[in-house]
Amino acid sequence: MTKVHHVAHVPDARRILEDKRVRSGLIYDESRLNRTRTCVSWASANTWVEGSIYGNVQFTFDWADIIRGRRVYWVEDMPDYSPPAYRLLLTDRDLSPGVSRNVIAYDPAVDKGPLREREGDWYWNDDYTSEFMIEDDLPLRLCRGVSFIRHRRDICRLHGCSCGDRTASEFMTGGRIMAFLLGSGVHSLDRTFRRPASMRSRLPLLDSVDVGIKGIRDALRDDRDRFVGGIRRAASSRVVLRGALAHYGADRIDDACELVSQLASAQVFDDALEGVVNEHFGVEGWTFFSGQAAGFV
């Protein structure tokens, strides 16, 4: 095990991006810690073929950063989950007997449970759902990747049948998040989205940016009859587009389309969006066709 993930719905992901951290919070489910006032942030090593039941924006962290300097305690198993889950608390506090009766000290180097450490390598039992309860915030400076994933269509652990994200594609999710970042001027993930210099070649940004931009184009550009305005100048069109992206990033799609209609053409839209992306991330040479090989355009 080298990576763990925190998955959130789009509204919660926007708050994480603004806060620059996954904030820890009280435990409200049936956990034995729900009356202890313990505040945790959640992560898991699992990913799911049928989609996550916790949302559709996945923040990835290195396990080494999460476990460093922390003690491990067994909390509980959740046998009614499908598949069943096991929960471990990661904390820098000493919760030895006499301090807490709610958890049991767990030594991954010795104990034969679902989390094990052998000579510096970590392993987990992926037949079950791993749930790590981290008694701290997770700062986005430690985030190593962001993915736009599918929500499971038939189950939402947080919102049930009222969840509107269950049918969203990766492109729809990416478009809403990327529009929020570009339109609101939020830079908390700039480093995460830039391709490392050793991998850059002609592509300055990761494929997840292309996924998000395709989502923006699908939502705001596909109707070519929409462009009835007279705005052509590069500077003016970028100002208009940033306003439209701010609306779309806040789920005001009709307002976004109304603003975009003031542009003179789809080509003006494309030029403005390329300019906004390059300016936002501080790169040169990103175009819509940078991700063409991956099938995003």
Side-chain angles (χ1 to χ4, degrees):
M1 182 173 68
T2 59
K3 306 287 183 183
V4 292
H5 317 283
H6 176 86
V7 178
H9 291 83
V10 170
D12 294 328
R14 289 195 292 248
R15 188 186 69 248
I16 290 169
L17 294 169
E18 288 184 319
D19 292 345
K20 299 182 181 180
R21 64 189 59 246
V22 178
R23 290 197 180 275
S24 57
L26 292 172
I27 303 164
Y28 289 107
D29 69 5
E30 61 272 31
S31 172
R32 65 188 302 173
L33 298 182
N34 61 9
R35 296 188 180 183
T36 64
R37 309 300 293 175
T38 303
C39 290
V40 301
S41 50
W42 298 81
S44 175
N46 297 77
T47 56
W48 305 103
V49 173
E50 296 183 13
S52 171
I53 63 175
Y54 296 104
N56 44 1
V57 183
Q58 179 173 278
F59 299 88
T60 297
F61 299 85
D62 282 344
W63 173 248
D65 292 331
I66 301 300
I67 196 65
R68 184 178 295 115
R70 292 190 168 108
R71 296 177 171 91
V72 182
Y73 293 89
W74 174 266
V75 179
E76 59 204 343
D77 65 303
M78 308 299 284
D80 294 334
Y81 284 18
S82 180
Y86 52 88
R87 290 179 170 177
L88 294 163
L89 177 69
L90 312 182
T91 178
D92 57 8
R93 294 194 295 148
D94 180 4
L95 300 178
S96 55
V99 178
S100 174
R101 293 178 297 176
N102 297 294
V103 297
I104 302 171
Y106 183 97
D107 185 350
V110 176
D111 292 337
K112 297 180 180 180
L115 177 69
R116 302 189 186 187
E117 184 267 330
R118 298 292 185 271
E119 299 181 354
D121 292 326
W122 289 84
Y123 305 88
W124 91 104
N125 187 336
D126 62 354
D127 288 336
Y128 303 97
T129 303
S130 61
E131 294 190 350
F132 302 112
M133 307 163 80
I134 304 147
E135 195 176 22
D136 201 354
D137 297 343
L138 293 179
L140 288 190
R141 61 180 173 78
L142 298 179
C143 182
R144 305 306 180 194
V146 178
S147 305
F148 308 120
I149 63 176
R150 286 191 179 272
H151 195 303
R152 182 159 169 167
R153 286 179 172 264
D154 58 335
I155 301 175
C156 178
R157 182 73 71 188
L158 277 69
H159 306 299
C161 296
S162 66
C163 177
D165 287 341
R166 289 183 301 152
T167 59
S169 69
E170 296 94 323
F171 298 108
M172 293 171 63
T173 299
R176 292 165 67 194
I177 292 296
M178 197 59 59
F180 170 76
L181 292 171
L182 298 173
S184 302
V186 174
H187 292 276
S188 52
L189 284 179
D190 287 5
R191 174 190 52 79
T192 304
F193 282 122
R194 291 194 192 101
R195 193 178 298 273
S198 60
M199 301 168 53
R200 190 162 294 172
S201 64
R202 65 183 183 86
L203 306 178
L205 300 174
L206 293 177
D207 291 344
S208 51
V209 175
D210 292 278
V211 172
I213 297 305
K214 184 181 186 304
I216 290 173
R217 295 178 90 206
D218 289 346
L220 302 183
R221 180 191 180 277
D222 271 5
D223 183 0
R224 292 175 176 269
D225 295 334
R226 176 173 294 146
F227 303 100
V228 297
I231 297 176
R232 294 180 178 276
R233 290 180 58 247
S236 299
S237 60
R238 290 181 190 181
V239 170
V240 169
L241 184 60
R242 284 194 187 92
L245 293 174
H247 280 301
Y248 182 44
D251 295 330
R252 297 189 293 267
I253 182 66
D254 292 339
D255 292 337
C257 291
E258 179 64 27
L259 265 181
V260 163
S261 71
Q262 304 308 307
L263 301 178
S265 67
Q267 185 60 55
V268 172
F269 176 95
D270 285 349
D271 292 343
L273 187 50
E274 285 186 2
V276 167
V277 171
N278 280 282
E279 184 177 311
H280 180 92
F281 290 107
V283 299
E284 296 180 357
W286 182 89
T287 71
F288 295 121
F289 302 102
S290 62
Q292 190 171 27
F296 296 141
V297 178

